[in-house]
Amino acid sequence: MNIFVMTDLQKLAFDASNSVVREGYTKEQLNEAIRNAVRDACGGEWNYYKFMENRYKVFAIMAEIMPVAMHANLAGKFDAFAEFKDTAVGDKPYFFVEDNTTYPVVTVARGNMDVERNKIIDRNFTVATTNKAIKFYEEFDMFMAGKMDMGRLTEKASVAMSNYVGELISDTIYNSYSAVGTNFKVNGGFDAASLTNLIEHVKAANGVEKVQIFGTTTSLVNIADGFGYSDRARDTANNMGYYDTFRGTDLFALPQAYGAGTNSFKVNTNYIIVLPASEKIVKVLFEGEALVDMKDGMGRNDMQPEIFFSRRIGAGAITVPEGKYGLYRFE
């Protein structure tokens, strides 16, 4: 995952998010070090007046930590097909898409150079971002007592934002179906011959010998090889919940989770994606710094202080006529 050069505090937050043991410190001790940084920003003592005097220093610490915690939560889950970039606000980096057209070779008479030219057409595209936000509140007396744990709120906000990005990646792939070339999509019930044909098209379009299949466990269960499976393969399916290979092509399960405040799956269970190894077909952009702000509750009748977090986030998928990947949507 491509991320910016981290500060010492961000490295500390990254280790804490990944449960990395640093010089004998546990995850809780790393988190305590972050809380100490917040306390130090308040002059070494936490109380309401000290915090209000120094709160923008605290918010700066929280904004510094949040992007790192988000990346740590995303690491390893979508790296196989998603590229992540952080940019300054207003910057719109271009993602490069290489021309993978197979050009024709023609027969000409000896001494003849009158051959139609072919231009190599690479593409660049950018991703639009929108502001995504989340807000937490606490009772005023808990805040006064120092029980409004800023590090914990930052972690919860980062996890929520990361979950949203996972859902955004899944939806971006699923919704790209209409833009994918005809030979690179299948819609309907599972058919082994149709999947085999789709795999061959993706191999040919990308000039590779091996591709991979990704989907949720629920969607991968749809894949059943008509050739039959060995005892080892059936044991693997019993252990993993799905067969891990289809006619020489490896299958990998995407992480699943509930949508916020629901018992509904947030990652679509209705499709699988076929793509070459390490093909980053989804581009995710984080624009600008995280924003953290607070209302101290004095303007509310219930005196409940609120913490606000936001980041500009966007995603786009590579969809070119030549086809970079294949989609199989189950109906």
Side-chain angles (χ1 to χ4, degrees):
M1 182 179 296
N2 295 323
I3 61 175
F4 39 73
V5 177
M6 291 189 290
T7 64
D8 289 341
L9 183 60
Q10 287 172 332
K11 291 176 182 177
L12 192 67
F14 186 85
D15 288 348
S17 298
N18 286 283
S19 300
V20 174
V21 176
R22 178 197 283 201
E23 298 176 0
Y25 285 84
T26 64
K27 177 179 180 178
E28 179 53 36
Q29 288 170 328
L30 289 171
N31 283 324
E32 181 61 26
I34 296 171
R35 286 191 285 268
N36 287 338
V38 171
R39 193 176 298 113
D40 290 343
C42 294
E45 179 183 0
W46 178 276
N47 62 53
Y48 174 73
Y49 302 103
K50 286 286 188 181
F51 170 75
M52 293 304 292
E53 180 183 352
N54 297 281
R55 58 179 171 172
Y56 290 106
K57 295 179 184 178
V58 175
F59 297 159
I61 291 172
M62 297 167 75
E64 188 177 350
I65 291 171
M66 184 180 178
V68 176
M70 285 180 62
H71 281 296
N73 287 321
L74 290 166
K77 296 179 181 178
F78 301 99
D79 289 354
F81 50 84
E83 178 182 358
F84 300 85
K85 282 190 177 181
D86 271 274
T87 69
V89 64
D91 287 355
K92 295 293 183 184
Y94 284 92
F95 295 95
F96 176 76
V97 183
E98 183 178 355
D99 183 1
N100 64 344
T101 303
T102 300
Y103 296 101
V105 177
V106 300
T107 301
V108 296
R110 184 176 296 175
N112 179 19
M113 297 177 60
D114 188 13
V115 178
E116 183 178 354
R117 299 180 302 173
N118 295 281
K119 179 174 175 55
I120 298 175
I121 304 175
D122 297 321
R123 287 199 310 128
N124 293 287
F125 73 99
T126 190
V127 173
T129 61
T130 54
N131 209 36
K132 299 298 178 181
I134 188 169
K135 185 183 289 186
F136 297 96
Y137 77 93
E138 184 56 275
E139 299 301 331
F140 186 74
D141 56 349
M142 298 296 288
F143 175 60
M144 287 288 289
K147 302 300 183 182
M148 192 172 184
D149 189 329
M150 298 300 179
R152 180 168 171 265
L153 290 183
T154 304
E155 182 180 4
K156 286 188 173 295
S158 300
V159 169
M161 290 285 190
S162 302
N163 288 345
Y164 164 75
V165 172
E167 185 176 2
L168 178 63
I169 291 171
S170 177
D171 289 346
T172 298
I173 295 172
Y174 187 78
N175 294 332
S176 70
Y177 183 86
S178 60
V180 176
T182 302
N183 290 330
F184 302 93
K185 58 185 176 184
V186 180
N187 191 65
F190 176 75
D191 177 72
S194 296
L195 179 56
T196 300
N197 185 62
L198 182 62
I199 289 171
E200 290 302 299
H201 274 295
V202 175
K203 286 180 180 179
N206 290 278
V208 297
E209 293 297 323
K210 294 284 288 185
V211 295
Q212 300 171 322
I213 296 174
F214 291 86
T216 64
T217 299
T218 303
S219 59
L220 293 178
V221 167
N222 287 287
I223 301 176
D225 194 338
F227 292 160
Y229 284 102
S230 65
D231 289 341
R232 186 207 67 80
R234 284 191 288 270
D235 288 341
T236 299
N238 283 330
N239 291 330
M240 300 179 63
Y242 58 91
Y243 292 106
D244 64 343
T245 305
F246 173 79
R247 301 186 183 183
T249 298
D250 294 330
L251 279 59
F252 299 94
L254 297 174
Q256 184 58 275
Y258 281 157
T262 74
N263 291 327
S264 300
F265 291 134
K266 67 172 185 173
V267 179
N268 196 298
T269 61
N270 204 36
Y271 77 94
I272 55 173
I273 180 173
V274 182
L275 70 161
S278 301
E279 181 65 53
K280 310 289 188 179
I281 66 164
V282 178
K283 310 299 182 180
V284 181
L285 181 63
F286 301 102
E287 183 185 357
E289 298 179 352
L291 175 63
V292 182
D293 204 351
M294 177 181 178
K295 294 186 184 300
D296 61 11
M298 290 304 185
R300 296 176 56 92
N301 290 335
D302 55 18
M303 294 183 66
Q304 290 172 339
E306 301 171 344
I307 294 284
F308 172 89
F309 298 83
S310 73
R311 282 216 81 183
R312 294 194 65 85
I313 303 171
I318 299 174
T319 53
V320 294
E322 299 84 3
K324 298 285 283 187
Y325 60 96
L327 276 176
Y328 200 131
R329 296 208 313 196
F330 302 117
E331 298 292 347

